[in-house]
Amino acid sequence: MILLEFSMSPMDKGESVSDQVSRSLKIIDESGVPYKLNPMGTVLEGEFDEVMGVVKQCYETMRSDCKRITCGIKIDYREGKSGRLESKMASIENKLRLSRRKIRKTGI
Amino acid sequence: MILLEFSMSPMDKGESVSDQVSRSLKIIDESGVPYKLNPMGTVLEGEFDEVMGVVKQCYETMRSDCKRITCGIKIDYREGKSGRLESKMASIENKLRLSRRKIRKTGI
Amino acid sequence: MILLEFSMSPMDKGESVSDQVSRSLKIIDESGVPYKLNPMGTVLEGEFDEVMGVVKQCYETMRSDCKRITCGIKIDYREGKSGRLESKMASIENKLRLSRRKIRKTGI
Amino acid sequence: MILLEFSMSPMDKGESVSDQVSRSLKIIDESGVPYKLNPMGTVLEGEFDEVMGVVKQCYETMRSDCKRITCGIKIDYREGKSGRLESKMASIENKLRLSRRKIRKTGI
């Protein structure tokens, strides 16, 4: 399974691009693919065709009324792992919590 | 003000890198710079030197025991705007909610 | 037309990944899609399905013997422009040359 | 030593951003830091402070007349390796050439 984060913006619509971004978010939301929004992009979870299909749909829609588009995509594939949209952060936060407890106990 | 998202991983530590990542998160957490964790990275908010200083500290620490490191950084600067760690998502979610309400009202 | 830059690496093969990277380059080279190699990635030019098809083929091949893969993709779409694999750099280098000549002339 | 690729663009200057990009390139060129231009960005080689200092200078200059800036940065650190601006591509191209020769010899 893949975690794919992407952000896509028009370059020719001025400083604020939230109209175009919320239109993309609507596409993402209606795709049925599990996702999480963050201040710098959206993280999707699924197989390659599934998640890239959502990116493509956002691109085709944005292309219909934008002359220049910039898009950054980051993929993290890990064999046999699903549910990482939740578990990846939980695993790191757990380690952080444990190391804090250890610090408190040893009085450092 | 800048929103800066980054993710930094060793390339020579095998499949799981959560030890190194949680060590970075500890640095981030103790820096005092406002941040938000997501499944693909961490978003910081601050001035250039402030946020890049945190990235550098994570890099120096990881470099102490890793032979190869990969790091992706994304910066979004917007003049005169602060508090975007919260407001950027809220603005988009608001637009999405409004467009949904409109859809429901018109029965489409 | 799209310019798409990508880099894809296994996370579980240690410090040197040039075996996997050269295997990807072979796929790219045989795809027939125009491309340019640089020290940090490969830039392809074509329509969305064309360039993303090459990325997918590299991904499927790497997935066959790697347990964790990281991949970064950057897309620059510009309406109606082709041949940008060459022209984009030329345009910038030209402006740089002109501004240098101006500097030399005015003696600054 | 670090290879750092970056691209930085204003979001509020319309479709063509080559004026701002060539201004950045001038800063890069005059920095003395070894670099290579490609159609999607510029790759610098040096220590962290050196290469990030160039990015910062480009950012401060762009910020002087742009209201919104987007910037992507990719870092590849490898212990003890310098001259990779040239050698990294050469190593991969060599492997590709060797594998082609093998293919020709074995008649596959």
Side-chain angles (χ1 to χ4, degrees):
Chain A
M1 289 285 260
I2 278 175
L3 288 181
L4 179 151
E5 181 180 21
F6 81 111
S7 62
M8 191 183 285
S9 305
M11 299 279 288
D12 60 331
K13 299 294 176 201
E15 199 186 336
S16 170
V17 295
S18 60
D19 277 347
Q20 284 79 17
V21 171
S22 61
R23 198 172 55 178
S24 289
L25 192 56
K26 205 161 161 280
I27 294 170
I28 296 164
D29 192 58
E30 290 169 356
S31 72
V33 175
Y35 73 96
K36 265 193 185 302
L37 201 63
N38 72 62
M40 290 295 272
T42 305
V43 186
L44 307 172
E45 183 169 21
E47 300 297 341
F48 190 94
D49 286 341
E50 214 173 5
V51 291
M52 208 55 99
V54 177
V55 174
K56 191 190 166 180
Q57 222 184 316
C58 293
Y59 165 72
E60 293 295 355
T61 303
M62 196 171 283
R63 204 166 68 115
S64 67
D65 56 7
C66 299
K67 288 186 174 167
R68 189 161 192 178
I69 298 168
T70 183
C71 173
I73 303 173
K74 207 165 55 181
I75 291 175
D76 176 15
Y77 161 77
R78 198 160 173 189
E79 194 192 37
K81 290 250 186 181
S82 72
R84 285 201 297 152
L85 212 49
E86 308 294 341
S87 66
K88 209 180 155 189
M89 277 171 61
S91 142
I92 289 162
E93 282 172 338
N94 249 338
K95 293 211 176 191
L96 189 64
R97 215 167 299 133
L98 285 173
S99 86
R100 272 188 193 139
R101 204 171 309 154
K102 223 162 68 187
I103 290 167
R104 234 170 296 139
K105 270 194 185 158
T106 53
I108 303 170
Chain B
M1 289 284 260
I2 278 176
L3 288 182
L4 179 151
E5 181 181 21
F6 81 112
S7 63
M8 190 183 286
S9 305
M11 299 280 287
D12 60 330
K13 299 295 176 199
E15 200 186 335
S16 171
V17 295
S18 59
D19 277 347
Q20 283 80 16
V21 172
S22 61
R23 197 172 57 178
S24 288
L25 192 56
K26 204 159 163 279
I27 294 170
I28 297 164
D29 192 58
E30 290 169 356
S31 73
V33 175
Y35 75 95
K36 264 193 186 303
L37 200 63
N38 72 62
M40 290 294 273
T42 305
V43 185
L44 307 171
E45 182 168 21
E47 299 299 339
F48 191 94
D49 286 342
E50 213 173 5
V51 291
M52 207 55 98
V54 177
V55 174
K56 191 190 166 180
Q57 223 184 316
C58 293
Y59 164 72
E60 293 295 355
T61 305
M62 196 172 283
R63 205 166 69 114
S64 66
D65 56 6
C66 299
K67 288 185 173 166
R68 189 161 191 177
I69 298 168
T70 183
C71 174
I73 302 172
K74 208 165 56 182
I75 291 174
D76 175 16
Y77 161 77
R78 196 160 174 189
E79 193 192 38
K81 288 252 186 178
S82 72
R84 285 202 297 151
L85 212 49
E86 308 293 341
S87 66
K88 210 180 156 191
M89 277 171 60
S91 142
I92 288 162
E93 282 172 339
N94 249 338
K95 292 213 176 191
L96 188 65
R97 214 167 299 134
L98 285 172
S99 86
R100 274 187 194 142
R101 204 171 309 156
K102 224 162 67 187
I103 291 168
R104 233 170 297 140
K105 269 192 186 160
T106 53
I108 303 172
Chain C
M1 289 284 260
I2 279 176
L3 289 181
L4 178 151
E5 181 180 23
F6 81 111
S7 63
M8 190 184 286
S9 305
M11 299 279 288
D12 60 331
K13 300 294 175 199
E15 197 185 337
S16 171
V17 295
S18 60
D19 278 347
Q20 283 80 15
V21 171
S22 61
R23 197 171 57 177
S24 289
L25 192 56
K26 204 160 161 279
I27 293 170
I28 296 164
D29 192 59
E30 290 169 356
S31 72
V33 174
Y35 74 96
K36 263 193 186 303
L37 200 63
N38 72 61
M40 290 295 272
T42 306
V43 185
L44 308 171
E45 182 169 22
E47 299 298 339
F48 190 94
D49 286 341
E50 214 173 5
V51 292
M52 208 56 98
V54 177
V55 174
K56 191 190 166 180
Q57 223 184 316
C58 292
Y59 164 72
E60 293 295 355
T61 304
M62 196 172 282
R63 205 166 68 115
S64 67
D65 56 6
C66 299
K67 288 185 173 166
R68 189 160 191 179
I69 298 168
T70 183
C71 174
I73 302 173
K74 206 166 54 182
I75 291 174
D76 175 15
Y77 161 77
R78 196 160 175 189
E79 192 192 40
K81 288 251 186 178
S82 72
R84 286 200 297 151
L85 212 49
E86 307 294 340
S87 66
K88 209 180 154 190
M89 277 172 61
S91 143
I92 289 162
E93 282 172 338
N94 249 338
K95 293 212 174 186
L96 189 64
R97 214 167 299 133
L98 285 172
S99 86
R100 274 188 193 140
R101 203 171 310 154
K102 224 161 66 187
I103 290 167
R104 233 170 297 140
K105 269 193 186 161
T106 53
I108 303 172
Chain D
M1 288 284 260
I2 277 175
L3 289 182
L4 179 150
E5 182 180 21
F6 81 110
S7 62
M8 190 183 286
S9 305
M11 298 279 289
D12 60 331
K13 298 296 175 199
E15 198 185 335
S16 171
V17 295
S18 60
D19 277 347
Q20 284 78 18
V21 171
S22 61
R23 197 171 56 179
S24 289
L25 191 56
K26 205 161 161 278
I27 294 170
I28 296 165
D29 192 58
E30 290 169 357
S31 72
V33 175
Y35 74 96
K36 264 192 187 303
L37 200 62
N38 73 61
M40 291 294 273
T42 305
V43 185
L44 308 171
E45 183 169 21
E47 300 298 341
F48 190 94
D49 285 342
E50 213 173 6
V51 292
M52 208 55 98
V54 177
V55 175
K56 191 189 167 181
Q57 222 184 318
C58 293
Y59 164 73
E60 293 295 355
T61 304
M62 196 172 282
R63 204 165 68 115
S64 68
D65 56 6
C66 298
K67 288 185 173 167
R68 189 161 191 179
I69 298 168
T70 183
C71 174
I73 303 173
K74 207 166 54 181
I75 292 174
D76 175 15
Y77 161 76
R78 197 161 174 187
E79 193 193 39
K81 290 252 185 178
S82 72
R84 285 200 299 151
L85 212 49
E86 307 294 340
S87 66
K88 209 180 154 189
M89 277 171 61
S91 142
I92 288 162
E93 282 172 338
N94 249 337
K95 293 212 175 188
L96 189 64
R97 215 167 298 133
L98 285 172
S99 86
R100 273 188 192 140
R101 204 171 308 154
K102 222 162 68 186
I103 289 168
R104 235 171 295 139
K105 268 192 185 161
T106 54
I108 303 171

